[in-house]
PDB file of all heavy atoms in Angstrom:
ATOM      1  N   CYS D  29     125.643-140.888 -71.117  1.00 97.00           N
ATOM      2  CA  CYS D  29     126.993-140.894 -70.438  1.00 97.00           C
ATOM      3  C   CYS D  29     127.262-139.465 -69.937  1.00 97.00           C
ATOM      4  O   CYS D  29     127.063-138.390 -70.645  1.00 97.00           O
ATOM      5  CB  CYS D  29     128.002-141.219 -71.608  1.00 97.00           C
ATOM      6  SG  CYS D  29     129.720-141.143 -70.940  1.00 97.00           S
ATOM      7  N   VAL D  30     127.712-139.343 -68.737  1.00 98.00           N
ATOM      8  CA  VAL D  30     128.085-138.103 -68.181  1.00 98.00           C
ATOM      9  C   VAL D  30     129.540-137.784 -68.454  1.00 98.00           C
ATOM     10  O   VAL D  30     130.456-138.585 -68.142  1.00 98.00           O
ATOM     11  CB  VAL D  30     127.842-138.065 -66.649  1.00 98.00           C
ATOM     12  CG1 VAL D  30     128.208-136.724 -66.022  1.00 98.00           C
ATOM     13  CG2 VAL D  30     126.528-138.583 -66.283  1.00 98.00           C
ATOM     14  N   LEU D  31     129.743-136.677 -69.120  1.00 97.00           N
ATOM     15  CA  LEU D  31     131.167-136.170 -69.413  1.00 97.00           C
ATOM     16  C   LEU D  31     131.578-135.232 -68.301  1.00 97.00           C
ATOM     17  O   LEU D  31     130.910-134.156 -68.079  1.00 97.00           O
ATOM     18  CB  LEU D  31     131.248-135.518 -70.736  1.00 97.00           C
ATOM     19  CG  LEU D  31     131.518-136.285 -71.975  1.00 97.00           C
ATOM     20  CD1 LEU D  31     132.952-136.965 -71.894  1.00 97.00           C
ATOM     21  CD2 LEU D  31     130.587-137.377 -72.143  1.00 97.00           C
ATOM     22  N   ILE D  32     132.639-135.588 -67.491  1.00 98.00           N
ATOM     23  CA  ILE D  32     133.172-134.799 -66.401  1.00 98.00           C
ATOM     24  C   ILE D  32     134.401-134.137 -66.884  1.00 98.00           C
ATOM     25  O   ILE D  32     135.427-134.647 -67.088  1.00 98.00           O
ATOM     26  CB  ILE D  32     133.344-135.659 -65.218  1.00 98.00           C
ATOM     27  CG1 ILE D  32     132.130-136.532 -64.918  1.00 98.00           C
ATOM     28  CG2 ILE D  32     133.754-134.798 -64.008  1.00 98.00           C
ATOM     29  CD1 ILE D  32     132.361-137.598 -63.864  1.00 98.00           C
ATOM     30  N   SER D  33     134.255-132.786 -67.049  1.00 97.00           N
ATOM     31  CA  SER D  33     135.348-132.004 -67.707  1.00 97.00           C
ATOM     32  C   SER D  33     136.098-131.072 -66.797  1.00 97.00           C
ATOM     33  O   SER D  33     135.423-130.325 -66.015  1.00 97.00           O
ATOM     34  CB  SER D  33     134.666-131.169 -68.862  1.00 97.00           C
ATOM     35  OG  SER D  33     135.652-130.351 -69.501  1.00 97.00           O
ATOM     36  N   ASP D  34     137.405-131.028 -66.747  1.00 97.00           N
ATOM     37  CA  ASP D  34     138.111-130.020 -66.023  1.00 97.00           C
ATOM     38  C   ASP D  34     137.717-128.624 -66.587  1.00 97.00           C
ATOM     39  O   ASP D  34     137.594-128.471 -67.805  1.00 97.00           O
ATOM     40  CB  ASP D  34     139.661-130.289 -66.226  1.00 97.00           C
ATOM     41  CG  ASP D  34     140.446-129.367 -65.369  1.00 97.00           C
ATOM     42  OD1 ASP D  34     140.577-128.129 -65.721  1.00 97.00           O
ATOM     43  OD2 ASP D  34     141.108-129.828 -64.364  1.00 97.00           O
ATOM     44  N   GLU D  35     137.693-127.699 -65.644  1.00 95.00           N
ATOM     45  CA  GLU D  35     137.225-126.396 -66.110  1.00 95.00           C
ATOM     46  C   GLU D  35     138.118-125.606 -66.964  1.00 95.00           C
ATOM     47  O   GLU D  35     137.639-124.742 -67.727  1.00 95.00           O
ATOM     48  CB  GLU D  35     136.914-125.517 -64.839  1.00 95.00           C
ATOM     49  CG  GLU D  35     138.196-125.049 -64.036  1.00 95.00           C
ATOM     50  CD  GLU D  35     137.852-124.245 -62.888  1.00 95.00           C
ATOM     51  OE1 GLU D  35     136.766-123.653 -62.836  1.00 95.00           O
ATOM     52  OE2 GLU D  35     138.823-124.081 -61.968  1.00 95.00           O
ATOM     53  N   LEU D  36     139.277-126.022 -67.099  1.00 92.00           N
ATOM     54  CA  LEU D  36     140.283-125.326 -68.040  1.00 92.00           C
ATOM     55  C   LEU D  36     140.538-126.193 -69.299  1.00 92.00           C
ATOM     56  O   LEU D  36     141.430-125.875 -70.040  1.00 92.00           O
ATOM     57  CB  LEU D  36     141.602-125.102 -67.302  1.00 92.00           C
ATOM     58  CG  LEU D  36     141.501-124.062 -66.175  1.00 92.00           C
ATOM     59  CD1 LEU D  36     142.912-123.790 -65.611  1.00 92.00           C
ATOM     60  CD2 LEU D  36     140.812-122.781 -66.531  1.00 92.00           C
ATOM     61  N   ASN D  37     139.707-127.134 -69.586  1.00 93.00           N
ATOM     62  CA  ASN D  37     139.920-127.929 -70.865  1.00 93.00           C
ATOM     63  C   ASN D  37     139.875-127.095 -72.089  1.00 93.00           C
ATOM     64  O   ASN D  37     139.244-126.139 -72.229  1.00 93.00           O
ATOM     65  CB  ASN D  37     138.926-129.029 -70.919  1.00 93.00           C
ATOM     66  CG  ASN D  37     139.232-130.234 -70.071  1.00 93.00           C
ATOM     67  OD1 ASN D  37     140.418-130.432 -69.622  1.00 93.00           O
ATOM     68  ND2 ASN D  37     138.297-131.131 -69.931  1.00 93.00           N
ATOM     69  N   HIS D  38     140.643-127.676 -73.108  1.00 93.00           N
ATOM     70  CA  HIS D  38     140.739-126.960 -74.336  1.00 93.00           C
ATOM     71  C   HIS D  38     139.375-126.835 -75.026  1.00 93.00           C
ATOM     72  O   HIS D  38     138.578-127.672 -74.914  1.00 93.00           O
ATOM     73  CB  HIS D  38     141.765-127.636 -75.250  1.00 93.00           C
ATOM     74  CG  HIS D  38     142.175-126.984 -76.537  1.00 93.00           C
ATOM     75  ND1 HIS D  38     141.506-127.232 -77.637  1.00 93.00           N
ATOM     76  CD2 HIS D  38     142.983-126.052 -76.704  1.00 93.00           C
ATOM     77  CE1 HIS D  38     142.082-126.487 -78.649  1.00 93.00           C
ATOM     78  NE2 HIS D  38     142.952-125.670 -78.074  1.00 93.00           N
ATOM     79  N   ALA D  39     139.245-125.811 -75.907  1.00 91.00           N
ATOM     80  CA  ALA D  39     138.047-125.592 -76.684  1.00 91.00           C
ATOM     81  C   ALA D  39     137.554-126.897 -77.480  1.00 91.00           C
ATOM     82  O   ALA D  39     136.375-127.088 -77.673  1.00 91.00           O
ATOM     83  CB  ALA D  39     138.126-124.418 -77.626  1.00 91.00           C
ATOM     84  N   SER D  40     138.529-127.643 -77.989  1.00 93.00           N
ATOM     85  CA  SER D  40     138.168-128.831 -78.696  1.00 93.00           C
ATOM     86  C   SER D  40     137.560-129.924 -77.880  1.00 93.00           C
ATOM     87  O   SER D  40     136.585-130.603 -78.360  1.00 93.00           O
ATOM     88  CB  SER D  40     139.516-129.411 -79.352  1.00 93.00           C
ATOM     89  OG  SER D  40     140.486-129.694 -78.358  1.00 93.00           O
ATOM     90  N   MET D  41     137.875-130.016 -76.672  1.00 94.00           N
ATOM     91  CA  MET D  41     137.219-130.957 -75.683  1.00 94.00           C
ATOM     92  C   MET D  41     135.885-130.472 -75.333  1.00 94.00           C
ATOM     93  O   MET D  41     134.846-131.206 -75.354  1.00 94.00           O
ATOM     94  CB  MET D  41     138.128-131.100 -74.449  1.00 94.00           C
ATOM     95  CG  MET D  41     139.499-131.660 -74.749  1.00 94.00           C
ATOM     96  SD  MET D  41     140.533-131.778 -73.280  1.00 94.00           S
ATOM     97  CE  MET D  41     140.009-133.284 -72.594  1.00 94.00           C
ATOM     98  N   ILE D  42     135.803-129.177 -75.086  1.00 93.00           N
ATOM     99  CA  ILE D  42     134.447-128.586 -74.757  1.00 93.00           C
ATOM    100  C   ILE D  42     133.554-128.749 -75.858  1.00 93.00           C
ATOM    101  O   ILE D  42     132.334-129.098 -75.724  1.00 93.00           O
ATOM    102  CB  ILE D  42     134.662-127.063 -74.403  1.00 93.00           C
ATOM    103  CG1 ILE D  42     135.575-126.908 -73.139  1.00 93.00           C
ATOM    104  CG2 ILE D  42     133.304-126.355 -74.272  1.00 93.00           C
ATOM    105  CD1 ILE D  42     136.044-125.514 -72.918  1.00 93.00           C
ATOM    106  N   GLU D  43     133.973-128.566 -77.106  1.00 94.00           N
ATOM    107  CA  GLU D  43     133.166-128.701 -78.308  1.00 94.00           C
ATOM    108  C   GLU D  43     132.624-130.143 -78.416  1.00 94.00           C
ATOM    109  O   GLU D  43     131.516-130.403 -78.800  1.00 94.00           O
ATOM    110  CB  GLU D  43     133.829-128.150 -79.586  1.00 94.00           C
ATOM    111  CG  GLU D  43     133.002-128.283 -80.851  1.00 94.00           C
ATOM    112  CD  GLU D  43     131.786-127.450 -80.918  1.00 94.00           C
ATOM    113  OE1 GLU D  43     131.609-126.573 -80.011  1.00 94.00           O
ATOM    114  OE2 GLU D  43     130.916-127.597 -81.753  1.00 94.00           O
ATOM    115  N   GLY D  44     133.621-131.063 -78.262  1.00 93.00           N
ATOM    116  CA  GLY D  44     133.169-132.486 -78.401  1.00 93.00           C
ATOM    117  C   GLY D  44     132.141-132.892 -77.320  1.00 93.00           C
ATOM    118  O   GLY D  44     131.202-133.664 -77.700  1.00 93.00           O
ATOM    119  N   ILE D  45     132.337-132.432 -76.082  1.00 94.00           N
ATOM    120  CA  ILE D  45     131.408-132.716 -75.067  1.00 94.00           C
ATOM    121  C   ILE D  45     130.050-132.074 -75.366  1.00 94.00           C
ATOM    122  O   ILE D  45     129.011-132.754 -75.213  1.00 94.00           O
ATOM    123  CB  ILE D  45     131.940-132.241 -73.704  1.00 94.00           C
ATOM    124  CG1 ILE D  45     133.099-133.058 -73.315  1.00 94.00           C
ATOM    125  CG2 ILE D  45     130.811-132.223 -72.600  1.00 94.00           C
ATOM    126  CD1 ILE D  45     133.972-132.422 -72.188  1.00 94.00           C
ATOM    127  N   ARG D  46     129.993-130.820 -75.852  1.00 94.00           N
ATOM    128  CA  ARG D  46     128.830-130.149 -76.267  1.00 94.00           C
ATOM    129  C   ARG D  46     128.040-130.917 -77.365  1.00 94.00           C
ATOM    130  O   ARG D  46     126.789-131.163 -77.255  1.00 94.00           O
ATOM    131  CB  ARG D  46     129.101-128.752 -76.645  1.00 94.00           C
ATOM    132  CG  ARG D  46     127.795-127.900 -76.995  1.00 94.00           C
ATOM    133  CD  ARG D  46     128.211-126.626 -77.691  1.00 94.00           C
ATOM    134  NE  ARG D  46     128.645-126.896 -79.033  1.00 94.00           N
ATOM    135  CZ  ARG D  46     127.794-127.176 -80.126  1.00 94.00           C
ATOM    136  NH1 ARG D  46     126.572-127.248 -79.874  1.00 94.00           N
ATOM    137  NH2 ARG D  46     128.297-127.338 -81.308  1.00 94.00           N
ATOM    138  N   ARG D  47     128.757-131.287 -78.409  1.00 93.00           N
ATOM    139  CA  ARG D  47     128.138-132.035 -79.491  1.00 93.00           C
ATOM    140  C   ARG D  47     127.656-133.375 -79.154  1.00 93.00           C
ATOM    141  O   ARG D  47     126.849-133.939 -79.781  1.00 93.00           O
ATOM    142  CB  ARG D  47     129.134-132.051 -80.748  1.00 93.00           C
ATOM    143  CG  ARG D  47     129.360-130.677 -81.281  1.00 93.00           C
ATOM    144  CD  ARG D  47     129.825-130.741 -82.757  1.00 93.00           C
ATOM    145  NE  ARG D  47     130.887-131.786 -82.975  1.00 93.00           N
ATOM    146  CZ  ARG D  47     130.718-132.934 -83.629  1.00 93.00           C
ATOM    147  NH1 ARG D  47     129.620-133.251 -84.103  1.00 93.00           N
ATOM    148  NH2 ARG D  47     131.735-133.759 -83.773  1.00 93.00           N
ATOM    149  N   GLY D  48     128.269-133.977 -78.095  1.00 93.00           N
ATOM    150  CA  GLY D  48     127.784-135.311 -77.670  1.00 93.00           C
ATOM    151  C   GLY D  48     126.319-135.265 -77.204  1.00 93.00           C
ATOM    152  O   GLY D  48     125.682-136.275 -77.247  1.00 93.00           O
ATOM    153  N   GLY D  49     125.973-134.053 -76.664  1.00 93.00           N
ATOM    154  CA  GLY D  49     124.538-133.902 -76.327  1.00 93.00           C
ATOM    155  C   GLY D  49     124.085-134.489 -75.034  1.00 93.00           C
ATOM    156  O   GLY D  49     122.927-134.400 -74.688  1.00 93.00           O
ATOM    157  N   GLY D  50     124.977-135.094 -74.336  1.00 93.00           N
ATOM    158  CA  GLY D  50     124.633-135.840 -73.003  1.00 93.00           C
ATOM    159  C   GLY D  50     124.833-134.964 -71.850  1.00 93.00           C
ATOM    160  O   GLY D  50     125.245-133.694 -71.928  1.00 93.00           O
ATOM    161  N   PRO D  51     124.518-135.396 -70.621  1.00 97.00           N
ATOM    162  CA  PRO D  51     124.816-134.581 -69.412  1.00 97.00           C
ATOM    163  C   PRO D  51     126.291-134.378 -69.200  1.00 97.00           C
ATOM    164  O   PRO D  51     127.185-135.145 -69.646  1.00 97.00           O
ATOM    165  CB  PRO D  51     124.202-135.536 -68.314  1.00 97.00           C
ATOM    166  CG  PRO D  51     124.197-136.934 -68.906  1.00 97.00           C
ATOM    167  CD  PRO D  51     124.054-136.797 -70.336  1.00 97.00           C
ATOM    168  N   LYS D  52     126.561-133.339 -68.619  1.00 97.00           N
ATOM    169  CA  LYS D  52     128.053-132.994 -68.331  1.00 97.00           C
ATOM    170  C   LYS D  52     128.153-132.367 -66.896  1.00 97.00           C
ATOM    171  O   LYS D  52     127.309-131.825 -66.332  1.00 97.00           O
ATOM    172  CB  LYS D  52     128.574-132.152 -69.330  1.00 97.00           C
ATOM    173  CG  LYS D  52     127.994-130.621 -69.326  1.00 97.00           C
ATOM    174  CD  LYS D  52     128.675-129.796 -70.389  1.00 97.00           C
ATOM    175  CE  LYS D  52     128.086-128.352 -70.342  1.00 97.00           C
ATOM    176  NZ  LYS D  52     128.690-127.387 -71.233  1.00 97.00           N
ATOM    177  N   ARG D  53     129.368-132.450 -66.369  1.00 98.00           N
ATOM    178  CA  ARG D  53     129.729-131.794 -65.127  1.00 98.00           C
ATOM    179  C   ARG D  53     131.033-131.130 -65.358  1.00 98.00           C
ATOM    180  O   ARG D  53     131.904-131.606 -66.124  1.00 98.00           O
ATOM    181  CB  ARG D  53     129.787-132.776 -63.947  1.00 98.00           C
ATOM    182  CG  ARG D  53     128.502-133.601 -63.728  1.00 98.00           C
ATOM    183  CD  ARG D  53     127.436-132.880 -63.096  1.00 98.00           C
ATOM    184  NE  ARG D  53     126.379-133.820 -62.679  1.00 98.00           N
ATOM    185  CZ  ARG D  53     125.356-134.135 -63.480  1.00 98.00           C
ATOM    186  NH1 ARG D  53     125.382-133.803 -64.722  1.00 98.00           N
ATOM    187  NH2 ARG D  53     124.449-135.030 -63.095  1.00 98.00           N
ATOM    188  N   VAL D  54     131.300-130.060 -64.636  1.00 98.00           N
ATOM    189  CA  VAL D  54     132.615-129.400 -64.728  1.00 98.00           C
ATOM    190  C   VAL D  54     133.189-129.360 -63.357  1.00 98.00           C
ATOM    191  O   VAL D  54     132.674-128.884 -62.390  1.00 98.00           O
ATOM    192  CB  VAL D  54     132.385-127.879 -65.318  1.00 98.00           C
ATOM    193  CG1 VAL D  54     133.737-127.158 -65.288  1.00 98.00           C
ATOM    194  CG2 VAL D  54     131.742-127.888 -66.636  1.00 98.00           C
ATOM    195  N   TRP D  55     134.504-129.819 -63.259  1.00 97.00           N
ATOM    196  CA  TRP D  55     135.156-129.810 -61.985  1.00 97.00           C
ATOM    197  C   TRP D  55     136.188-128.783 -61.928  1.00 97.00           C
ATOM    198  O   TRP D  55     136.880-128.422 -62.946  1.00 97.00           O
ATOM    199  CB  TRP D  55     135.707-131.191 -61.563  1.00 97.00           C
ATOM    200  CG  TRP D  55     136.535-131.936 -62.668  1.00 97.00           C
ATOM    201  CD1 TRP D  55     136.195-132.336 -63.867  1.00 97.00           C
ATOM    202  CD2 TRP D  55     137.855-132.275 -62.463  1.00 97.00           C
ATOM    203  NE1 TRP D  55     137.252-133.019 -64.411  1.00 97.00           N
ATOM    204  CE2 TRP D  55     138.319-132.926 -63.638  1.00 97.00           C
ATOM    205  CE3 TRP D  55     138.854-132.101 -61.468  1.00 97.00           C
ATOM    206  CZ2 TRP D  55     139.624-133.485 -63.842  1.00 97.00           C
ATOM    207  CZ3 TRP D  55     140.124-132.697 -61.581  1.00 97.00           C
ATOM    208  CH2 TRP D  55     140.467-133.402 -62.747  1.00 97.00           C
ATOM    209  N   LYS D  56     136.446-128.295 -60.666  1.00 97.00           N
ATOM    210  CA  LYS D  56     137.412-127.223 -60.541  1.00 97.00           C
ATOM    211  C   LYS D  56     138.843-127.795 -60.923  1.00 97.00           C
ATOM    212  O   LYS D  56     139.063-128.940 -60.628  1.00 97.00           O
ATOM    213  CB  LYS D  56     137.540-126.748 -59.083  1.00 97.00           C
ATOM    214  CG  LYS D  56     136.186-126.183 -58.606  1.00 97.00           C
ATOM    215  CD  LYS D  56     136.168-125.894 -57.104  1.00 97.00           C
ATOM    216  CE  LYS D  56     134.829-125.332 -56.634  1.00 97.00           C
ATOM    217  NZ  LYS D  56     134.808-125.217 -55.137  1.00 97.00           N
ATOM    218  N   HIS D  57     139.665-126.893 -61.540  1.00 96.00           N
ATOM    219  CA  HIS D  57     140.863-127.344 -62.182  1.00 96.00           C
ATOM    220  C   HIS D  57     141.737-128.116 -61.273  1.00 96.00           C
ATOM    221  O   HIS D  57     142.239-127.598 -60.143  1.00 96.00           O
ATOM    222  CB  HIS D  57     141.631-126.130 -62.663  1.00 96.00           C
ATOM    223  CG  HIS D  57     142.880-126.393 -63.282  1.00 96.00           C
ATOM    224  ND1 HIS D  57     143.013-127.363 -64.442  1.00 96.00           N
ATOM    225  CD2 HIS D  57     144.087-125.984 -63.077  1.00 96.00           C
ATOM    226  CE1 HIS D  57     144.284-127.405 -64.747  1.00 96.00           C
ATOM    227  NE2 HIS D  57     144.956-126.521 -64.021  1.00 96.00           N
ATOM    228  N   ASN D  58     141.997-129.403 -61.604  1.00 96.00           N
ATOM    229  CA  ASN D  58     142.923-130.346 -60.943  1.00 96.00           C
ATOM    230  C   ASN D  58     142.504-130.475 -59.402  1.00 96.00           C
ATOM    231  O   ASN D  58     143.371-130.893 -58.659  1.00 96.00           O
ATOM    232  CB  ASN D  58     144.346-129.811 -60.960  1.00 96.00           C
ATOM    233  CG  ASN D  58     144.949-130.047 -62.304  1.00 96.00           C
ATOM    234  OD1 ASN D  58     144.417-130.924 -63.104  1.00 96.00           O
ATOM    235  ND2 ASN D  58     145.962-129.358 -62.659  1.00 96.00           N
ATOM    236  N   ASP D  59     141.307-130.305 -59.023  1.00 97.00           N
ATOM    237  CA  ASP D  59     140.795-130.361 -57.713  1.00 97.00           C
ATOM    238  C   ASP D  59     140.267-131.744 -57.484  1.00 97.00           C
ATOM    239  O   ASP D  59     139.064-132.059 -57.847  1.00 97.00           O
ATOM    240  CB  ASP D  59     139.708-129.272 -57.407  1.00 97.00           C
ATOM    241  CG  ASP D  59     139.327-129.182 -55.992  1.00 97.00           C
ATOM    242  OD1 ASP D  59     139.314-130.231 -55.313  1.00 97.00           O
ATOM    243  OD2 ASP D  59     139.034-128.029 -55.455  1.00 97.00           O
ATOM    244  N   LEU D  60     141.064-132.560 -56.810  1.00 98.00           N
ATOM    245  CA  LEU D  60     140.602-134.034 -56.594  1.00 98.00           C
ATOM    246  C   LEU D  60     139.403-134.093 -55.792  1.00 98.00           C
ATOM    247  O   LEU D  60     138.559-134.986 -56.056  1.00 98.00           O
ATOM    248  CB  LEU D  60     141.863-134.801 -56.037  1.00 98.00           C
ATOM    249  CG  LEU D  60     143.016-134.909 -56.935  1.00 98.00           C
ATOM    250  CD1 LEU D  60     144.173-135.473 -56.165  1.00 98.00           C
ATOM    251  CD2 LEU D  60     142.728-135.769 -58.203  1.00 98.00           C
ATOM    252  N   ALA D  61     139.277-133.283 -54.688  1.00 98.00           N
ATOM    253  CA  ALA D  61     138.155-133.396 -53.829  1.00 98.00           C
ATOM    254  C   ALA D  61     136.840-133.091 -54.551  1.00 98.00           C
ATOM    255  O   ALA D  61     135.770-133.723 -54.370  1.00 98.00           O
ATOM    256  CB  ALA D  61     138.238-132.463 -52.623  1.00 98.00           C
ATOM    257  N   HIS D  62     136.872-132.112 -55.373  1.00 98.00           N
ATOM    258  CA  HIS D  62     135.657-131.605 -56.127  1.00 98.00           C
ATOM    259  C   HIS D  62     135.354-132.718 -57.175  1.00 98.00           C
ATOM    260  O   HIS D  62     134.152-133.079 -57.327  1.00 98.00           O
ATOM    261  CB  HIS D  62     135.865-130.297 -56.804  1.00 98.00           C
ATOM    262  CG  HIS D  62     134.590-129.734 -57.501  1.00 98.00           C
ATOM    263  ND1 HIS D  62     134.578-129.184 -58.729  1.00 98.00           N
ATOM    264  CD2 HIS D  62     133.336-129.766 -57.001  1.00 98.00           C
ATOM    265  CE1 HIS D  62     133.313-128.871 -59.003  1.00 98.00           C
ATOM    266  NE2 HIS D  62     132.504-129.185 -58.014  1.00 98.00           N
ATOM    267  N   LEU D  63     136.391-133.303 -57.865  1.00 98.00           N
ATOM    268  CA  LEU D  63     136.192-134.351 -58.685  1.00 98.00           C
ATOM    269  C   LEU D  63     135.377-135.552 -58.115  1.00 98.00           C
ATOM    270  O   LEU D  63     134.475-136.097 -58.587  1.00 98.00           O
ATOM    271  CB  LEU D  63     137.385-134.882 -59.415  1.00 98.00           C
ATOM    272  CG  LEU D  63     137.331-136.007 -60.334  1.00 98.00           C
ATOM    273  CD1 LEU D  63     136.430-135.836 -61.489  1.00 98.00           C
ATOM    274  CD2 LEU D  63     138.791-136.491 -60.747  1.00 98.00           C
ATOM    275  N   GLU D  64     135.896-135.890 -56.864  1.00 98.00           N
ATOM    276  CA  GLU D  64     135.302-137.017 -56.108  1.00 98.00           C
ATOM    277  C   GLU D  64     133.826-136.727 -55.811  1.00 98.00           C
ATOM    278  O   GLU D  64     132.916-137.637 -55.935  1.00 98.00           O
ATOM    279  CB  GLU D  64     136.093-137.478 -54.978  1.00 98.00           C
ATOM    280  CG  GLU D  64     135.564-138.668 -54.251  1.00 98.00           C
ATOM    281  CD  GLU D  64     136.510-139.279 -53.258  1.00 98.00           C
ATOM    282  OE1 GLU D  64     137.376-138.587 -52.720  1.00 98.00           O
ATOM    283  OE2 GLU D  64     136.339-140.546 -53.024  1.00 98.00           O
ATOM    284  N   GLU D  65     133.639-135.491 -55.441  1.00 98.00           N
ATOM    285  CA  GLU D  65     132.269-135.107 -54.994  1.00 98.00           C
ATOM    286  C   GLU D  65     131.302-135.367 -56.212  1.00 98.00           C
ATOM    287  O   GLU D  65     130.274-135.801 -56.122  1.00 98.00           O
ATOM    288  CB  GLU D  65     132.317-133.541 -54.589  1.00 98.00           C
ATOM    289  CG  GLU D  65     130.967-133.068 -54.202  1.00 98.00           C
ATOM    290  CD  GLU D  65     131.044-131.542 -53.914  1.00 98.00           C
ATOM    291  OE1 GLU D  65     132.093-131.048 -53.347  1.00 98.00           O
ATOM    292  OE2 GLU D  65     130.175-130.812 -54.211  1.00 98.00           O
ATOM    293  N   LEU D  66     131.756-134.901 -57.406  1.00 98.00           N
ATOM    294  CA  LEU D  66     130.906-135.040 -58.634  1.00 98.00           C
ATOM    295  C   LEU D  66     130.752-136.559 -58.943  1.00 98.00           C
ATOM    296  O   LEU D  66     129.644-136.952 -59.324  1.00 98.00           O
ATOM    297  CB  LEU D  66     131.548-134.366 -59.804  1.00 98.00           C
ATOM    298  CG  LEU D  66     131.608-132.797 -59.637  1.00 98.00           C
ATOM    299  CD1 LEU D  66     132.322-132.147 -60.931  1.00 98.00           C
ATOM    300  CD2 LEU D  66     130.184-132.192 -59.661  1.00 98.00           C
TER     301      LEU D  66
END
């Protein structure tokens, strides 16, 4: 599962995504165009 995370997400979300061990992507804060690109 790919976790797509806003770049300003809280440390608890970042830690949960990291511990999940799967692929991740980071999208520019609230940037809809970048989110769609990913």
Side-chain angles (χ1 to χ4, degrees):
C29 179
V30 181
L31 271 294
I32 307 167
S33 174
D34 185 285
E35 66 179 344
L36 295 187
N37 276 345
H38 188 263
S40 56
M41 301 175 78
I42 295 167
E43 180 64 12
I45 292 168
R46 185 193 67 80
R47 289 202 315 109
K52 68 176 181 180
R53 305 285 188 276
V54 178
W55 53 294
K56 296 174 186 175
H57 180 53
N58 286 342
D59 187 325
L60 296 172
H62 188 224
L63 174 59
E64 182 163 26
E65 180 184 325
L66 292 177

